[in-house]
């Protein structure tokens, strides 16, 4: 499940310049062994017919639909070694062409991490228990008042 997002053309892009984002691409998580890397890697690449690819960046977040400007981007090359710290996080790969246009592909978390478990199970259960307790407390308080 890969999500692809296209960023707009940079301000000041004139007629005849490259106003299109790089081609859509689908990064993949793979074992690093064939690349001489221990652990898992993310492999990616794309093309830009007009101006060529300038760079790739990578970012991570527990939130899938994080706005591009809130992602902490780091320069990246393929294959990129995944560390244990990114377990449970979405992986964002941004391809930027020579005119500044960008395309972002998003990969789901490749390993469940504690934060993923917490956000998926612990937090919702805690919220449900809190709501039940709150209703019980309100019901009990109202019921005691009506007995007086």
């Amino acid at each position: 499940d890969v999500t692809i997002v296209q960023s707009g053309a940079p301000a000041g892009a004139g007629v005849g310049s490259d106003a299109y984002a790089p081609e859509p691409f689908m990064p993949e998580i793979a074992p690093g062994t064939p690349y001489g890397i221990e652990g898992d890697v993310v492999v990616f690449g794309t093309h830009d017919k007009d101006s060529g690819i300038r760079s790739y960046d990578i970012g991570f977040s527990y939130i899938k639909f994080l706005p591009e400007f809130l992602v902490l981007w780091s320069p990246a090359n393929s294959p990129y070694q995944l560390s244990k710290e990114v377990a449970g996080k979405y992986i964002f790969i941004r391809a930027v062409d020579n005119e500044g246009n960008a395309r972002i592909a998003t990969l789901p978390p490749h390993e469940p991490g504690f934060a993923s478990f917490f956000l998926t199970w612990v937090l919702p259960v805690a919220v449900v228990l809190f709501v039940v307790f709150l209703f019980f407390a309100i019901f009990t308080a109202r019921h005691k008042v009506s007995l007086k």
Side-chain angles (χ1 to χ4, degrees), residues 1 10 25 32 61-62 66-67 78 95 99 104 110 114 125 128 141 143:
D1 184 26
F25 63 108
S61 174
Y62 290 113
L66 192 65
S78 181
E99 291 293 322
I104 300 171
H110 75 292
F114 174 74
V125 169
V128 168
H143 197 47

Side-chain angles (χ1 to χ4, degrees), residues 48-60:
D48 185 85
K49 296 177 201 170
D50 297 322
S51 66
I53 299 296
R54 177 177 65 205
S55 64
Y56 292 98
D57 302 305
I58 193 163
F60 306 95

Side-chain angles (χ1 to χ4, degrees), residues 59-80:
F60 306 95
S61 174
Y62 290 113
I63 302 167
K64 181 176 183 176
F65 298 107
L66 192 65
E68 181 180 0
F69 69 91
L70 292 178
V71 176
L72 297 175
W73 296 105
S74 300
N77 292 312
S78 181
Y80 182 90

